[in-house]
């Protein structure tokens, strides 16, 4: 989406895509299938959503284990096949959602130990560019195979990818997430940076509690950080951010992390966002 000083038109503004799931982040899975329901939302996005891929990433292999296609008429909580040659046909005017159900045996991981799951969503925009939403997380797999932990960027992160702009990433490095309530001063380690490898640099970083940008007017929530540049040293650094939970009501809140990476060639700005629910009990 364009920054405030970039022209706002059908070429520079292609809206955005949400992808979310309830996942066993940091937990141990020792039998059966890994089954995850994934929610995909298009918001003011003129593109055609194709599919979401579930990828198993180990220390020496990255394997797409399942593709679920985004179909206009398919029932929710299914894994539809393509509408054509490796494409979906889900389009939206305004805000629309679809639920997909992924399920693969844990034997599909070629190692045991700390392993990574990646969800990648693919949306083709009218001008021929591509938007991808990416969500990466880890869990402990015990499937009887040789142990070998994944070590590269082994933390929870959301990444936006766009043609030419590359990746822009918002990550929570304090892994695993707290399983229970937090209280007092909670200091999660946050990385709001570019992904490196030729991607555009981070030009803005933003941290807030409980924003609602779809409200009219938009509600930015409790803004904790809003500044030019990355939060944490580029290209892959991070730093703790202290949150005084005593100023929050007891109950569930959402930590919103956003990194923006301006691309002057496209006349627009690519962003990666990660939103993490957490419980406060003081």
């Amino acid at each position: 989406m364009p920054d405030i000083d970039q022209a706002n038109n059908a070429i520079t503004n292609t809206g955005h895509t949400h992808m979310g799931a309830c996942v066993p982040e940091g937990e141990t899975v020792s039998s059966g299938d890994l089954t995850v329901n994934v929610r995909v939302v298009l918001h003011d996005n003129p593109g055609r959503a194709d599919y979401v891929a579930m990828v198993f990433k180990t220390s020496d292999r990255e394997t797409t284990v399942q593709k679920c296609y985004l179909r206009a008429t398919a029932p929710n909580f299914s894994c539809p096949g393509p509408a054509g040659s490796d494409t979906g046909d889900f389009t939206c005017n305004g805000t629309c959602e679809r639920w997909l159900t992924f399920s693969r045996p844990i034997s599909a991981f070629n190692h045991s130990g700390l392993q990574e799951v990646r969800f990648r969503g693919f949306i083709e925009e009218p001008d021929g560019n591509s938007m991808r939403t990416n969500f990466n997380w880890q869990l402990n797999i015990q499937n009887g195979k040789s142990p070998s932990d994944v070590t590269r960027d082994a933390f929870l992160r959301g990444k936006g990818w766009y043609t030419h702009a590359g990746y822009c990433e918002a990550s929570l490095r304090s892994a695993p997430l707290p399983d229970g309530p937090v209280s007092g001063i909670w200091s999660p380690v946050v990385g709001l940076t570019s992904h490196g490898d030729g991607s555009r640099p981070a030009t803005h970083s933003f941290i807030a509690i409980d924003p609602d940008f779809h409200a009219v007017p938009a509600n930015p929530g409790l803004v904790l950080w809003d500044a030019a540049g990355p939060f944490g040293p580029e290209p892959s650094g991070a730093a703790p951010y202290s949150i005084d939970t005593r100023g929050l009501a007891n109950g569930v809140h959402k930590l919103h992390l956003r990194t923006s990476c301006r691309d002057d060639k496209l006349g627009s700005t690519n962003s990666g966002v990660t939103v993490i629910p957490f419980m406060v009990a003081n």
Side-chain angles (χ1 to χ4, degrees):
M1 299 175 67
D3 207 343
I4 56 174
D5 64 337
Q6 293 176 310
N8 191 335
N9 55 53
I11 300 299
T12 61
N13 190 341
T14 50
H16 58 269
T17 306
H18 303 266
M19 185 166 63
C22 182
V23 300
E25 188 268 343
E27 298 180 16
T28 297
V29 179
S30 57
S31 63
D33 296 339
L34 178 64
T35 300
V36 182
N37 296 320
V38 174
R39 179 177 182 250
V40 179
V41 179
L42 298 184
H43 184 77
D44 291 340
N45 191 322
R48 184 193 76 250
D50 282 347
Y51 63 89
V52 177
M54 182 164 72
V55 178
F56 287 176
K57 176 71 171 66
T58 66
S59 59
D60 56 8
R61 186 179 301 175
E62 180 178 308
T63 307
T64 297
V65 295
Q66 192 171 16
K67 289 182 179 179
C68 294
Y69 288 80
L70 289 152
R71 302 295 306 277
T73 59
N76 281 323
F77 303 103
S78 63
C79 184
S85 178
D86 209 31
T87 65
D89 60 4
F90 179 43
T91 58
C92 174
N93 182 17
T95 301
C96 310
E97 74 171 18
R98 283 290 183 272
W99 284 88
L100 303 171
T101 296
F102 293 84
S103 188
R104 296 298 296 165
I106 65 170
S107 59
F109 288 96
N110 66 310
H111 291 293
S112 64
L114 186 69
Q115 309 301 326
E116 181 166 287
V117 179
R118 300 178 174 183
F119 289 109
R120 294 174 177 155
F122 295 79
I123 302 93
E124 297 304 317
E125 302 299 342
D127 60 1
N129 289 330
S130 178
M131 178 186 293
R132 300 176 192 169
T133 177
N134 303 263
F135 170 37
N136 301 0
W137 51 282
Q138 296 76 37
L139 74 171
N140 181 27
I141 293 293
Q142 295 300 320
N143 59 6
K145 297 188 179 182
S146 60
S148 182
D149 292 344
V150 65
T151 57
R152 181 180 181 272
D153 296 340
F155 44 79
L156 183 73
R157 59 199 193 276
K159 300 181 292 185
W161 187 96
Y162 201 82
T163 299
H164 184 266
Y167 285 105
C168 201
E169 179 175 303
S171 61
L172 188 71
R173 310 293 180 89
S174 305
L177 297 176
D179 287 333
V182 296
S183 60
I185 305 297
W186 179 41
S187 299
V189 178
V190 172
L192 306 180
T193 68
S194 169
H195 195 66
D197 63 18
S199 297
R200 301 301 91 193
T203 51
H204 203 95
S205 48
F206 180 85
I207 304 173
I209 304 291
D210 298 332
D212 183 358
F213 293 105
H214 291 172
V216 181
N219 174 13
L222 175 61
V223 177
L224 303 177
W225 175 272
D226 187 6
F231 182 87
E234 294 269 41
S236 59
Y241 192 93
S242 294
I243 300 170
D244 189 349
T245 68
R246 295 167 295 187
L248 303 174
N250 287 339
V252 177
H253 296 272
K254 290 183 179 179
L255 175 62
H256 176 107
L257 308 172
R258 183 171 78 244
T259 310
S260 296
C261 302
R262 182 183 176 108
D263 190 326
D264 289 325
K265 178 179 179 179
L266 296 177
S268 193
T269 299
N270 179 38
S271 295
V273 179
T274 299
V275 178
I276 301 106
F278 65 99
M279 176 77 75
V280 169
N282 281 302

